[in-house]
Amino acid sequence: MGNTLGFMDILIMLSGAYLIYAAVQMKRTGEISSALVGKGCDLKKANDPKGYIEYMSPKSIIMGIIVVLSGGADYLNEKYWHISHFNLVICVVILLVIIVYGKITMDAQKKYLSPK
């Protein structure tokens, strides 16, 4: 089971790295990445896309860093540290962070990307 968890940790770190990449690209190009908005969001009818980019870029980068660090910490625990219940603590913390980030994202979409 350790190999499976290690693989999942690597996938988690890669997803965090992609979130950072998407946020940096969004900031650099001025175009909103479809990976950073909900499915029902029509970017062509967005009210204030630049405001959304300014507001969400740093938050998405921070979220990506948290995801990378949590995946890395969990991987290190599986390989070297062997702290009991560490995986559970990481899962709970990441779940809470994802809930908060999701709320921030949904509020930002309503504020900046709702049709005019």
Side-chain angles (χ1 to χ4, degrees):
M1 185 144 162
N3 288 340
T4 304
L5 290 176
F7 179 71
M8 290 302 294
D9 292 331
I10 292 170
L11 286 178
I12 289 168
M13 288 187 285
L14 288 174
S15 67
Y18 179 74
L19 182 58
I20 295 167
Y21 169 79
V24 169
Q25 283 296 100
M26 183 173 68
K27 180 79 170 165
R28 188 179 64 78
T29 64
E31 295 180 18
I32 299 172
S33 171
S34 61
L36 300 178
V37 294
K39 285 184 180 181
C41 187
D42 187 1
L43 296 176
K44 294 175 185 163
K45 297 179 181 178
N47 186 25
D48 184 10
K50 291 188 187 308
Y52 180 82
I53 291 168
E54 290 298 317
Y55 182 74
M56 284 305 297
S57 291
K59 290 165 182 58
S60 296
I61 291 169
I62 291 168
M63 179 64 183
I65 291 169
I66 291 170
V67 170
V68 169
L69 291 176
S70 68
D74 197 44
Y75 182 81
L76 289 172
N77 185 57
E78 286 292 322
K79 287 289 189 181
Y80 306 108
W81 302 337
H82 308 291
I83 301 169
S84 65
H85 304 295
F86 186 81
N87 296 2
L88 179 61
V89 171
I90 289 291
C91 286
V92 169
V93 169
I94 282 299
L95 179 61
L96 293 174
V97 170
I98 287 172
I99 290 170
V100 170
Y101 179 74
K103 174 74 170 125
I104 290 169
T105 302
M106 295 306 294
D107 290 345
Q109 284 180 176
K110 286 178 188 172
K111 181 176 181 179
Y112 296 106
L113 302 181
S114 294
K116 298 175 184 177

